[in-house]
Amino acid sequence: MKNIFKTLLLLSVIVLGMNSCSEEKLLDLDPINSPSEDYPFTTPDLIASAMNGVYNAAAIGTYTSGTANGGRGYIWGAAFVEQGDCRGEDVVNTATFYQLTYTATYDATTANNVYYWVDGYRLINRCNLMIEGVNDAVAKGIISAAVGNDYIGQAKFLRAITHFELLNYFSRCYNYTATAEHLGIPYREVGVNTQGEIDSEVLKPRNTVAECYTKILADLNDAENLITTTGIAKASKNAAIAFKTRVYLQKRDWANVITEGNKLNGKRTLTANPGDAFVLANNLSNTESIFSIQHSTTSNPGTNAALASIFGGRKLVAVSPIIWRNPSWLVDDKRRTAIVNPSSGVIGATEMIINVNGRIYTNKYKDQVNFTDATPVIRYAEVLLNMAEAQARTGDLANALINLNTVRNRALATPATQAYTAATLSTIPLMVNAILTERRIEFLMEGRRWSDIQRLEKDDIAPSTGIPAKYANAVPAVADYTLGTPYTGPRTVLAIPASDFRFLWPIPQVELNTNPTLAKQQNPGW
């Protein structure tokens, strides 16, 4: 299996614009025994292993190591959770580990944002090579068209969501311009493993945001139509549909958010308890998770990135008093239930919080020894809240209320008296703001905060105005977690207006060094 992964790695390490001297020998495409570049696609078993290699790249990545399984969870294994949270105000970076992200003091050479791009495009290239190799295998009769379509659908799903994730960090929101003609990112659809392909692809410019969305949705539509695989750990039809609700929400296409969400009626349901989807034994077999990244004792991002290590074990990221003391998060909400000063035993717990001497950390990720927690990419709770927001913005407050309460009520101690009502959320702004706050609570420590900040930059109801001011980059004071009133203490990590160049990450310098087209299209201010 390692040889197969190595073969796929060597066929797909090309990251457009990476400097071969500073990174790796990008043209050294064959393993030592020099099989042909078609080798991973010569038997059904090898093709299956090649697909597993793509998921492995999604789960772990390479980061600065230059080797397979040497990464820190870029881009879908842990990094998107950690980076997406630390760019917002609802967590506190307690040390120096994510300080550059938390305080927006990164630049075009900072590893955390550089390898978001690098490992993101490495994964995209693997997807493209998979699509091309499978098409060739089908043409040669090695696998059937049906089997091939399933693989192609999975690869297109991963290609789409990875482009979309990168788009949210390196480009402005969809409605930044009237027709979304502002710069997006390069949408790569060619598998690169020859010098000719490098020469061609390296010259391609950034697509517009509108073009990126069109391609993302086309890939997701293909994925929905082609995939036959089911389950949580692999791309599925349900995953493609669910992700379309996220894309359409950010596109502000409210009607299609609702249309896609309705496709999942009866196919997925919320777990009875909000913590059930995060119980280690259930996180790949529950009714709510739609797509999650699988990890094992031998295949995980390691101590320096695994979610259970960063959040619960090393406690490098805490829950911020800003969200902990938000009045909309009721004191007796089940999502506040905590294990107090645990020495062990968090693995089987449904509690979603760890209270360590009065300081608050998440317990969504529990295996602090072997790092086997799955990384949640999208859950049905998000689909329901996406639909609720779309319904609210189109004036359907009744159905928006139903979907909002469906998510929130399962966490309430007494829903009969604590649920939102039509009287309390009687206007579109009230409803939208309640939904946005619920997203902050429900998806805390799941990497969703940044996408909401980015997409709401020019919102007409609840504009984000930029990166909010944050609690100090330090271990929080215990007293700041005292419930009863909103947090009004210092926010010493100052707000960054959306107009500030730091609102976007810079295209990495290693990309600009060898890509003459993108060198002229760096984000302004960098």
Side-chain angles (χ1 to χ4, degrees), residues 302-461:
T303 303
N304 283 332
L307 295 170
S309 173
I310 297 300
F311 291 142
R314 300 173 68 186
K315 298 176 179 61
L316 299 178
V317 182
V319 175
S320 175
I322 294 170
I323 189 62
W324 186 250
R325 291 171 60 177
N326 189 298
S328 295
W329 194 354
L330 301 183
V331 173
D332 54 2
D333 189 305
K334 296 174 186 176
R335 292 168 293 192
R336 290 188 182 275
T337 305
I339 301 173
V340 180
N341 296 329
S343 57
S344 62
V346 299
I347 286 182
T350 59
E351 290 88 348
M352 301 176 75
I353 295 294
I354 299 173
N355 182 323
V356 181
N357 298 319
R359 296 183 176 90
I360 305 302
Y361 303 87
T362 188
N363 189 42
K364 286 184 175 179
Y365 315 106
K366 301 171 173 60
D367 188 356
Q368 298 172 17
V369 176
N370 295 312
F371 312 139
T372 59
D373 293 272
T375 305
V377 177
I378 193 161
R379 298 189 283 123
Y380 189 54
E382 182 183 340
V383 174
L384 291 173
L385 290 180
N386 291 348
M387 292 178 68
E389 185 176 338
Q391 290 159 337
R393 289 178 181 275
T394 55
D396 186 359
L397 296 182
N399 280 313
L401 181 65
I402 290 171
N403 281 322
L404 171 59
N405 276 338
T406 298
V407 175
R408 184 172 180 266
N409 282 3
R410 65 171 175 167
L412 301 182
T414 53
T417 58
Q418 293 176 320
Y420 287 125
T421 67
T424 56
L425 300 179
S426 57
T427 68
I428 290 175
L430 286 172
M431 183 69 74
V432 168
N433 277 285
I435 292 165
L436 293 175
T437 300
E438 184 63 20
R439 292 175 69 89
R440 293 171 61 191
I441 298 167
E442 178 67 21
F443 305 127
L444 181 63
M445 301 294 191
E446 293 182 55
R448 301 301 312 130
R449 183 61 183 138
W450 172 250
S451 291
D452 281 349
I453 292 171
Q454 190 261 9
R455 74 179 173 91
L456 294 170
E457 177 189 349
K458 290 187 171 293
D459 190 57
D460 56 336
I461 294 173

